[in-house]
Structure formats: C-alpha cells, structure tokens
Amino acid sequence: MPERTISSDDVLEMERLVRATLINSVSGLKSANLIGTADRSGRANLALFNSVVHIGANPPFLGMIFRPLTVKRDTYDNIKATGVYTLNHVHAEIRDRAHRTSAKFPPEVSEFEACGLTPETTPTLQAPYVAESRVKIGLAYEEEHTVRANGTILLIGRVLEIRLPEEILSEDGYVDLAAAGSLALTGLEGYHEVGPPLRLPYAKAPA
C-alpha cells in the first residue's frame, strides 16, 4: 500500500479538528472511560475521556490529561473541589449513551440523566460510579503537573477501590478486558472492540 509522509508543517496547516483527530488517532488505541464526579452540592457530572494512563502500582496511581483551563472544565473543577472521582469502562451496551456525554451540556444538567445512565455511590467513595459499567475504579486526587509545552494538565489519582466481575480477574492479577467487553478509542469517536488477549511470558534477556 502506498505510503504518505505528513510533515510537522503539514500538521500545523491542517484545519483544527482534522489536526486534532489525526494526532489523537495516530498515537494508537486508548481506553474508553467515563469519569464520574460531583460538585460540592452533590450535582453529578459525567464525561468521556481517552487519556487515562498507568502511573505506578506501588502505590497504585493512574493519570489522565486535561486540556488547558482556558474554558470551564467541570470534571477538573469537581475533582479539585471534592478530591475524589471515578473511572468507568465503556462497553458496547452503553457505548452510544457514553458517547453522548461528550456533548456540551449546561452546568445545571447532569450527563447521567441526560444520557440515560445511572449514578451510584459506595461507602468508600461519594463520587458517582456508572452503575451500568462493568469495570469501575474509585480514585482520590493526589497531584497534578502542567505540561509547559502546551498548557495541558496531567492529573494523578490514587486508586482507592476497584470494582469488577470476579470471573474476569485472574489469580495473577490480569484483568481480561475482552471478557468484560471494555472498548478502546481512537480520538473520541472511533470505538473498537477488544479481542481475546494473547499473553506472552515475561521477556528476559539471555544470561
């Protein structure tokens, strides 16, 4: 198949949405997550993110990227106000409803209600989970770092609890995302089903 080369100058000359879609998709598949938060008055908010990354396991930390705070970011504001939030995997049965949360709703409108999803809380965490999600993680704000190159923010959360079906968790800690039906994303509109994993042994250099 013919190869095309796109220079950095070509990228900068693209229309804004085309440029964003290219860079967001060419970097590869990412997890599709709904981030659940609430403000200090308890009003729930839900937003679709594809920027969640592993930071470390001991202690367990996950990070996610926020775009620059040049406009109001309800998810970010709620996390900073309450200190807690949830991460909820998207699967095929809730894909369309999850995708609708990326629309710009007025602050007084809860995406849970507008998009037909159910908020739930646990004694451990008062931030809302998505009841329909199968893999759910509760987190507490730990720290953040501003990326000087473009003003984005890497926000790091400490894992407080993980909720998932027992049958998808192996004794060695591996979570079978295919069995859970968790979807992957390219950009914020390209959804991909995850196939059964091929697990290779831990790689070691020859002695």
Side-chain angles (χ1 to χ4, degrees):
M1 117 183 7
E3 181 180 87
R4 176 181 173 184
T5 299
I6 303 171
S7 71
S8 59
D9 288 339
D10 294 334
V11 172
L12 293 176
E13 290 173 2
M14 291 176 176
E15 189 272 326
R16 181 179 65 88
L17 291 178
V18 174
R19 180 174 62 245
T21 299
L22 169 65
I23 299 303
N24 213 329
S25 58
V26 76
S27 57
L29 298 175
K30 308 166 191 72
S31 56
N33 293 290
L34 287 167
I35 305 300
T37 62
D39 62 18
R40 284 198 178 100
S41 67
R43 184 169 53 194
N45 178 272
L46 195 61
L48 184 66
F49 274 70
N50 73 346
S51 63
V52 173
V53 294
H54 166 269
I55 298 295
N58 185 25
F61 291 121
L62 297 175
M64 60 181 178
I65 296 291
F66 284 86
R67 286 179 289 175
L69 304 178
T70 52
V71 298
K72 183 173 174 57
R73 309 278 183 204
D74 290 333
T75 298
Y76 176 85
D77 291 344
N78 290 348
I79 292 173
K80 292 301 293 287
T82 65
V84 291
Y85 57 104
T86 70
L87 185 156
N88 307 267
H89 285 204
V90 175
H91 57 79
E93 293 176 22
I94 63 171
R95 179 198 58 214
D96 293 354
R97 286 175 284 169
H99 186 70
R100 287 201 296 274
T101 67
S102 60
K104 295 186 183 301
F105 291 94
E108 66 275 9
V109 174
S110 167
E111 289 82 0
F112 280 96
E113 183 175 349
C115 301
L117 294 164
T118 309
E120 65 173 355
T121 58
T122 69
T124 307
L125 202 76
Q126 294 308 302
Y129 286 100
V130 176
E132 292 83 0
S133 180
R134 296 170 186 150
V135 179
K136 314 171 194 182
I137 307 171
L139 302 108
Y141 174 90
E142 186 71 22
E143 61 183 272
E144 66 184 68
H145 302 272
T146 299
V147 179
R148 288 183 295 175
N150 63 358
T152 55
I153 296 171
L154 170 62
L155 186 144
I156 298 172
R158 174 169 40 90
V159 175
L160 298 179
E161 64 180 7
I162 301 170
R163 303 171 58 201
L164 74 178
E166 187 172 359
E167 60 268 24
I168 73 168
L169 179 63
S170 300
E171 290 186 4
D172 65 357
Y174 187 81
V175 177
D176 188 343
L177 298 181
S182 297
L183 299 178
L185 263 177
T186 47
L188 281 178
E189 70 283 338
Y191 291 85
H192 306 259
E193 293 186 357
V194 179
L198 171 62
R199 298 191 66 192
L200 300 178
Y202 187 81
K204 295 182 179 180

